[in-house]
Amino acid sequence: MSDLTPAERAEILERHLQDHGHVHPGEVDAAIAAAEAASDDGPSPALGARVVARAWVDADFRDRLLTDPVDTISEYQPQTVPIAVLEDTASVHNVIVCTLCSCYPSGLLGNPPAWYKSFEYRTRVVREPRAVLAEFGVEIDADVELRVHDSTAEQRYLVLPLRPAGTDDWDEQQLASLVTRNAMIGTGFPLPP
Amino acid sequence: MIVGVDSVHDLGGMHGFGPVAVEVDEPLFHAPWEGRVWRLLAAVMGSTTIDRFRYTIEQMPPAEYLAASYYERWLWAIEHLAAEQGILDGTDRPARVARPSPSTPTWAGRFNRGDRVRVGNPVTSGHTRVPRYLRRHLGRVERIAFAWPNPGESAATGIYGEAELVYTVSFAAADLFGPAADHSVTADLAESDLEEP
């Protein structure tokens, strides 16, 4: 293993790539700044929350989201790989993982959280999802079917969680504020109203 | 580098890892170099496939893989891919590799929704997207998901070939992990990795 730190190796790599014209100065800074400034117009949990909230209030949109997810999500953000929407119901709870690497619906939700990429999550959630979800504070009733989806190909997944009870008079924007990132992965529920 | 497919990245179902640590208010990058590595991937990805990137990471020696952070693994792969593409030595850019668009298959497959299928045993020194924990197991086709080039070929050649069907297949976790498991697991598997039961 190299004696250099990752930061030193990254600097050397970037310098070599710049010297030979494969990376332009400023391009990396600009990309990082844009990613860190993510708004709900670009891939981010907030953008995913807008899609989920719309599905809760607009039955036609919900149907299109489930049957034609790539085109429907692309109305918010162009999708470059297939994406499937997993609808939670009173009797089914969905959770997503990538055991082989870190496949995640980044084109909608932005970069995955560190725990999603961790060895602990990748090894355990396919084998003992109820125990893993309990660590997130999520208890799934024994009579609810738990489906774990391993993202082993170029198809990404988005969980469409259940709309929280007591939100009948909430509008789309208010509802979006209840949708957490974990709720769209399956390791959480939307916030209570 | 020749390594078997049974490399350390294939983690699903492995025992011995502890609780999932969840960071509160996690930053997008944990150090400035992580963001730079994240963006530098673009310098090599234009001329190869996502599968070859993954395959390169899979060639990290296992102890290094487990000791490295997520973006250290990316860094390792970008260094290797940049060397392989020759872009650290000169200004020539290798040919661009066109990435396929999401497509709905227009042809019938060997299997249909509801069919029982057995996962193959793709032992190869190359790359596969069949997790070890599913090999030789019986599952049921939930749906034909999409069409995509074969990952093993895309990893070996660095270009995307002809598309084949990819099926979403559901497995009873009790079959995979023992009777205490009451959930199901789905995976997206290429037609060439599936057999008649």
Side-chain angles (χ1 to χ4, degrees):
Chain A
M1 199 179 262
S2 170
D3 291 334
L4 299 174
T5 65
E8 289 164 340
R9 281 164 56 202
E11 195 184 326
I12 292 167
L13 176 67
E14 183 171 349
R15 199 167 59 235
H16 278 299
L17 290 169
Q18 261 188 26
D19 287 349
H20 295 107
H22 303 298
V23 167
H24 299 290
E27 175 181 29
V28 176
D29 296 314
I32 295 169
E36 289 186 328
S39 71
D40 68 358
D41 291 329
S44 60
L47 182 63
R50 286 172 55 198
V51 172
V52 167
R54 170 100 178 267
W56 285 343
V57 298
D58 179 344
D60 171 63
F61 179 80
R62 178 183 149 281
D63 289 346
R64 288 194 292 121
L65 184 64
L66 293 170
T67 54
D68 187 11
V70 171
D71 287 345
T72 307
I73 293 174
S74 292
E75 293 168 16
Y76 288 77
Q77 178 70 33
Q79 297 297 299
T80 57
V81 294
I83 184 165
V85 177
L86 306 164
E87 185 185 30
D88 283 348
T89 67
S91 58
V92 174
H93 182 86
N94 295 284
V95 58
I96 63 174
V97 63
C98 173
T99 63
L100 296 171
C101 46
S102 57
C103 300
Y104 180 80
S106 303
L108 179 63
L109 302 186
N111 285 9
W115 62 259
Y116 184 87
K117 305 176 284 190
S118 72
F119 301 143
E120 290 79 8
Y121 187 72
R122 288 167 54 194
T123 53
R124 293 178 54 222
V125 80
V126 285
R127 176 184 284 274
E128 46 173 4
R130 287 181 198 274
V132 171
L133 293 185
E135 290 167 20
F136 284 86
V138 171
E139 301 285 348
I140 305 294
D141 289 346
D143 59 350
V144 171
E145 183 188 340
L146 189 52
R147 296 183 186 164
V148 182
H149 303 269
D150 193 353
S151 310
T152 54
E154 292 314 303
Q155 169 170 260
R156 302 293 169 261
Y157 288 102
L158 173 74
V159 175
L160 176 57
L162 281 171
R163 179 172 174 165
T167 58
D168 289 354
D169 56 349
W170 285 48
D171 68 21
E172 190 177 325
Q173 202 178 347
Q174 291 172 307
L175 287 167
S177 71
L178 302 179
V179 183
T180 62
R181 173 163 63 187
N182 288 9
M184 295 180 280
I185 301 174
T187 55
F189 295 121
L191 301 172
Chain B
M1 280 179 291
I2 301 286
V3 289
V5 67
D6 292 331
S7 66
V8 67
H9 74 286
D10 188 357
L11 287 164
M14 195 180 288
H15 277 125
F17 288 86
V20 179
V22 179
E23 274 179 65
V24 178
D25 295 330
E26 181 186 332
L28 187 56
F29 301 111
H30 292 76
W33 69 266
E34 290 193 347
R36 308 202 79 76
V37 165
W38 167 75
R39 182 57 183 78
L40 290 177
L41 178 64
V44 295
M45 272 309 294
S47 304
T48 189
T49 61
I50 184 71
D51 304 288
R52 193 164 181 85
F53 172 60
R54 293 190 186 119
Y55 181 43
T56 305
I57 289 181
E58 291 163 16
Q59 293 174 61
M60 281 185 86
E64 275 188 54
Y65 182 99
L66 291 173
S69 69
Y70 182 73
Y71 285 110
E72 277 181 74
R73 301 198 292 275
W74 277 40
L75 175 59
W76 194 94
I78 298 167
E79 288 168 342
H80 282 73
L81 286 167
E84 177 180 292
Q85 294 176 8
I87 60 175
L88 298 178
D89 307 317
T91 54
D92 287 350
R93 277 177 190 273
R96 304 288 300 174
V97 170
R99 189 185 166 94
S101 303
S103 70
T104 307
T106 52
W107 62 95
R110 279 164 53 214
F111 306 106
N112 294 301
R113 186 189 178 104
D115 283 357
R116 297 254 287 165
V117 288
R118 187 177 294 281
V119 181
N121 187 24
V123 175
T124 159
S125 61
H127 172 77
T128 178
R129 293 294 287 180
V130 177
R132 223 174 317 197
Y133 74 87
L134 291 178
R135 283 189 202 162
R136 307 307 295 151
H137 278 284
L138 281 173
R140 192 174 293 279
V141 172
E142 282 204 352
R143 63 190 186 99
I144 296 175
F146 61 105
W148 200 263
N150 181 277
E153 284 175 28
S154 306
T157 60
I159 56 173
Y160 293 105
E162 214 172 302
E164 68 173 318
L165 296 185
V166 179
Y167 296 77
T168 299
V169 182
S170 177
F171 301 85
D175 290 345
L176 309 172
F177 301 119
D182 66 354
H183 58 287
S184 66
V185 176
T186 74
D188 297 324
L189 300 169
E191 186 168 75
S192 53
D193 288 319
L194 297 174
E195 302 169 359
E196 309 287 334

